[in-house]
Amino acid sequence: MANSTSREHQEQHQEQRQPEIGAVFDAIVVGAGFGGLYMLHRLRGLGFTARVYEAGGGVGGTWYWNRYPGARCDVESMQYSFSFSEELDQQWDWSEKYSPQPEILAYANHVTDRFGLRPDIRFDTRVTSATFDETKNCWHVETDRGDRVSAKFCIMAVGCLSAANRPPFAGMEDFHGPIHHTGEWPHEGVDFTGLRVGVIGTGSSAIQSIPIIAQQAAALTVFQRTATYSVPAWNEKLTPEYRRNVKADYPALRAKARARPTGFYFPFNMKPALEATEEERTRQYEEAWQRGGLPFLGAFGDLLFEKAANDTIADFARAKIRGIVKDPATADLLCPDNVFGCKRLCVDTGYFETYNLPHVKLVDVSKTPIQRFTARGIEVDGKEYPLDVIVCATGFAAMTGSFDRIKITGRNGLTLAEKWRGGPRAYLGVASVGFPNLFMITGPGSPSVLASMIQAIEQHVDWMLDCMAHLRDVGATTFEPIQNYEDEWIEHVNEVSKVSLRSTCSSWYVGTNIAGRPRVFMPYIGGFPVYVQKCNEVMSRGFEGFVIDGGTARNEEPRVRLTERWRVPLDIDVISPAAVAARRVPVV
Ligand code: N01
């Protein structure tokens, strides 16, 4: 497990450290979540010098910040983990099917120490700006601790869901009690015992935390703007025998996961729901419900493509809610009326059951929004709800918010924020025209949040390292996408999103969870293996679509191929939007 002594020593040392001025590295990495950690490991493995800056006091990214009660992964832990080291896979033991945040954070620390990564990371340090120097072909990076360093490559490992969305509710400053955001939870925890608690939001963070907060609070009021579908996790302790069985053939499981649109493996029924009888559908949904979790969406093959098929799973899920929640009026409010799985599906333990507790109330703020915070609570529709503490489970400025926090300036003084004003633009989601040698791990336009994040991270990092090693081999100075390739990719990302029902509702996938943001479907929904194949092709064609400049630079295949392990057969039989689009299957 994690070496806490070396960590404490390191954190203490960091507090006292002097700013680094003038240091030059091959690569600067922004963020020490899973993306930054794996990037650093690979950079070092290939002999690159690197500095990682991390705003938090430790590694882990999402799992460092999101310490709210009940936080846990909802991709099974034995898949929600790095796959690059078979020894690591064999040595680490996950305790639960969906392991809790402290255990995932311990894993991140374990990986950090096991691979000796900590010395290259500077904690409690937020990168404030990154500026491309067109005369020296390098990036100058500045931090809030006065560091001024430069590097040939700048790598954004800033995460997709890292910039907390704190809606500017009127009167926030008047509220007499604490206000916590789930994504920036106090490290010492929050004791809700005997308190009147208000939770704003009913997304994944709320759904995980509400049942636990309800156990402690004297009264809990949940302010719901949009009802959410949620499937039971049926979380459980993993037995040694289960772990042994998985580990006996771990590489095969990893390979199967890579062939899936989601980047993780679960049983998937190809049959379209609309071809099944009602009885067969109900049986299939019931079985899938009993297995629980995100794989519920694999009950039939057409659920995210055909509205009529989606209606059948939505009806089933609403009936489940009505079967659990005793008060019919509350059950009505909790029943979503949008497309099932359109917003990110939630996975819960006892969420709907919580509303049967006498001290838990649901307040609908869909038609009459939260008016203001008062000194003593929250006011909605002229009524004040008295509260001692407020939890904002209001989500994130997804995909681009963490880029927006850094002033990233490319060629001709153009900032990334300016370029992305109408929506993010990046070729393959890895790099953007006008920003040479800047890589984005799980950037917008890549599968990222629609795949298992750690697999998506590993594939991106491996691709980027093959690329960087090639640039070094040929003595190239810059690497940058070509405009029409970037444009075509963005067009493809948009086109393929229309094939899926996921693009039809308001959600953070399209940026509309926050007023004023452009509506653009940001992740690539074509399916993980489809995307991987595209990345492999681009590389095999000598980085087609990129300009490689300087030295003896050639657009040719790289010598180093970390990406070999990502060459999986394209499982076209598994329905993904790209597969559907390729076959021209008609969809709603
Ligand atoms: O955030 P969200 P989250 N007034 O955006 C509401 C991942 N994750 O932190 O739907 C009132 O989903 C908002 O309402 P609406 C996962 O990918 C994973 O919960 O916009 N309400 C919504 O109900 C997830 O999808 C896990 O109408 C307001 C809620 O706040 C993503 O992170 C666990 C409001 C925000 O929900 C984000 O999840 C946690 C306002 N002004 C998170 N503004 C796992 O299980 C917002 N809301 C692995």
Side-chain angles (χ1 to χ4, degrees):
M1 300 293 269
N3 179 344
S4 61
T5 315
S6 81
R7 203 156 69 237
E8 279 155 22
H9 172 79
Q10 193 70 40
E11 285 178 13
Q12 208 175 14
H13 173 71
Q14 306 253 343
E15 272 170 31
Q16 297 155 358
R17 79 174 178 86
Q18 295 297 310
E20 285 173 301
I21 311 280
V24 179
F25 303 94
D26 293 321
I28 289 165
V29 182
V30 187
F34 282 110
L37 291 177
Y38 184 54
M39 175 52 82
L40 177 59
H41 173 62
R42 280 300 192 205
L43 283 165
R44 286 167 38 139
L46 287 175
F48 289 103
T49 58
R51 170 69 72 239
V52 180
Y53 291 111
E54 167 55 54
V59 299
T62 284
W63 301 104
Y64 175 87
W65 297 103
N66 286 263
R67 299 174 188 232
Y68 60 83
R72 58 179 71 247
C73 56
D74 60 7
V75 168
E76 290 187 18
S77 290
M78 294 210 65
Q79 296 195 57
Y80 188 79
S81 46
F82 283 123
S83 67
F84 69 89
S85 163
E86 266 196 61
E87 293 78 32
L88 179 64
D89 266 351
Q90 292 299 328
Q91 286 164 9
W92 184 266
D93 282 334
W94 293 107
S95 67
E96 297 179 39
K97 181 176 170 188
Y98 301 113
S99 289
Q101 173 270 334
E103 190 170 339
I104 303 172
L105 186 59
Y107 174 78
N109 276 294
H110 169 81
V111 170
T112 305
D113 293 323
R114 191 182 195 285
F115 295 98
L117 304 177
R118 210 170 289 274
D120 290 331
I121 308 172
R122 297 291 173 267
F123 294 104
D124 296 311
T125 307
R126 189 173 282 284
V127 169
T128 50
S129 71
T131 310
F132 186 67
D133 182 331
E134 290 188 68
T135 51
K136 295 186 182 141
N137 288 318
C138 70
W139 284 90
H140 300 301
V141 170
E142 295 188 8
T143 75
D144 63 355
R145 292 184 62 143
D147 304 292
R148 291 209 308 272
V149 298
S150 39
K152 178 167 177 171
F153 300 110
C154 185
I155 295 140
M156 294 293 163
V158 289
C160 297
L161 294 158
S162 310
N165 170 36
R166 290 176 176 273
F169 296 109
M172 279 180 103
E173 58 292 342
D174 298 335
F175 182 62
H176 69 103
I179 303 172
H180 302 295
H181 190 286
T182 45
E184 291 171 355
W185 202 254
H187 286 200
E188 62 281 12
V190 181
D191 183 3
F192 293 105
T193 310
L195 299 180
R196 296 165 304 176
V197 185
V199 175
I200 302 173
T202 49
S204 299
S205 304
I207 278 179
Q208 287 187 329
S209 56
I210 282 169
I212 298 175
I213 295 174
Q215 285 166 21
Q216 289 179 7
L220 172 61
T221 308
V222 178
F223 298 87
Q224 172 185 274
R225 188 164 71 179
T226 310
T228 317
Y229 295 104
S230 185
V231 179
W234 309 122
N235 188 33
E236 60 193 1
K237 296 264 181 237
L238 294 181
T239 62
E241 192 195 359
Y242 180 89
R243 285 195 294 259
R244 242 191 334 270
N245 285 342
V246 173
K247 288 183 181 187
D249 209 4
Y250 225 149
L253 175 64
R254 299 296 197 183
K256 280 200 298 191
R258 284 175 202 141
R260 284 306 174 94
T262 48
F264 68 102
Y265 182 78
F266 56 87
F268 190 97
N269 178 21
M270 279 291 295
K271 182 169 178 170
L274 296 179
E275 285 177 18
T277 62
E278 197 172 336
E279 192 190 358
E280 190 185 346
R281 273 200 300 266
T282 306
R283 193 176 57 244
Q284 181 71 13
Y285 287 143
E286 190 57 47
E287 280 170 21
W289 187 268
Q290 293 314 326
R291 285 195 297 272
L294 299 176
F296 183 61
L297 261 171
F300 286 105
D302 54 351
L303 296 172
L304 283 174
F305 305 108
E306 299 280 0
K307 177 68 168 64
N310 194 280
D311 287 344
T312 65
I313 195 170
D315 284 344
F316 180 89
R318 281 189 287 261
K320 282 289 181 193
I321 296 171
R322 290 185 207 285
I324 297 169
V325 180
K326 293 195 178 116
D327 173 48
T330 307
D332 266 354
L333 275 182
L334 287 168
C335 281
D337 58 6
N338 56 9
V339 165
F340 186 94
C342 192
K343 282 174 182 280
R344 167 67 151 71
L345 185 58
C346 298
V347 177
D348 73 281
T349 299
Y351 173 66
F352 293 115
E353 289 82 347
T354 302
Y355 292 95
N356 291 333
L357 299 173
H359 66 296
V360 178
K361 295 271 167 295
L362 184 65
V363 176
D364 177 17
V365 295
S366 62
K367 292 173 203 79
T368 47
I370 290 173
Q371 245 164 304
R372 66 176 65 86
F373 286 20
T374 65
R376 297 182 314 140
I378 285 180
E379 197 176 302
V380 180
D381 203 14
K383 181 174 176 190
E384 187 184 64
Y385 295 85
L387 302 167
D388 301 309
V389 51
I390 295 172
V391 174
C392 289
T394 44
F396 303 90
M399 309 292 296
T400 55
S402 37
F403 287 91
D404 293 343
R405 294 197 286 199
I406 305 165
K407 188 173 182 212
I408 302 169
T409 311
R411 289 194 196 280
N412 305 315
L414 180 72
T415 65
L416 194 70
E418 282 161 0
K419 177 174 172 180
W420 285 8
R421 188 158 291 147
R425 303 188 72 80
Y427 182 37
L428 300 177
V430 299
S432 192
V433 175
F435 299 83
N437 298 354
L438 182 89
F439 290 98
M440 304 165 186
I441 301 177
T442 62
S446 73
S448 56
V449 290
L450 294 175
S452 178
M453 278 304 286
I454 300 185
Q455 298 308 296
I457 284 168
E458 283 188 273
Q459 184 267 340
H460 254 191
V461 169
D462 285 349
W463 193 94
M464 290 168 192
L465 258 299
D466 285 358
C467 176
M468 285 186 257
H470 175 69
L471 299 177
R472 182 175 60 183
D473 283 350
V474 298
T477 47
T478 57
F479 177 80
E480 187 180 348
I482 298 168
Q483 190 68 56
N484 62 311
Y485 281 84
E486 180 171 296
D487 293 344
E488 278 167 24
W489 180 251
I490 300 296
E491 204 174 306
H492 173 62
V493 171
N494 289 333
E495 271 309 300
V496 84
S497 77
K498 291 181 198 147
V499 176
S500 167
L501 294 173
R502 275 219 170 102
S503 62
T504 59
C505 66
S506 169
S507 70
W508 60 256
Y509 291 133
V510 293
T512 51
N513 60 324
I514 300 178
R517 297 185 98 205
R519 187 188 173 100
V520 178
F521 197 90
M522 292 183 280
Y524 178 60
I525 201 169
F528 183 66
V530 176
Y531 173 81
V532 171
Q533 195 183 49
K534 169 74 181 171
C535 290
N536 287 342
E537 276 168 20
V538 165
M539 190 174 287
S540 297
R541 293 185 191 142
F543 299 98
E544 186 183 36
F546 290 92
V547 177
I548 299 178
D549 208 15
T552 57
R554 294 279 177 283
N555 277 79
E556 54 195 24
E557 272 204 76
R559 190 176 48 82
V560 173
R561 288 294 295 238
L562 294 170
T563 34
E564 275 310 316
R565 71 194 177 105
W566 297 102
R567 281 183 190 276
V568 291
L570 182 60
D571 189 353
I572 202 79
D573 279 327
V574 173
I575 293 183
S576 71
V580 172
R583 288 184 195 154
R584 300 189 183 283
V585 174
V587 287
V588 176

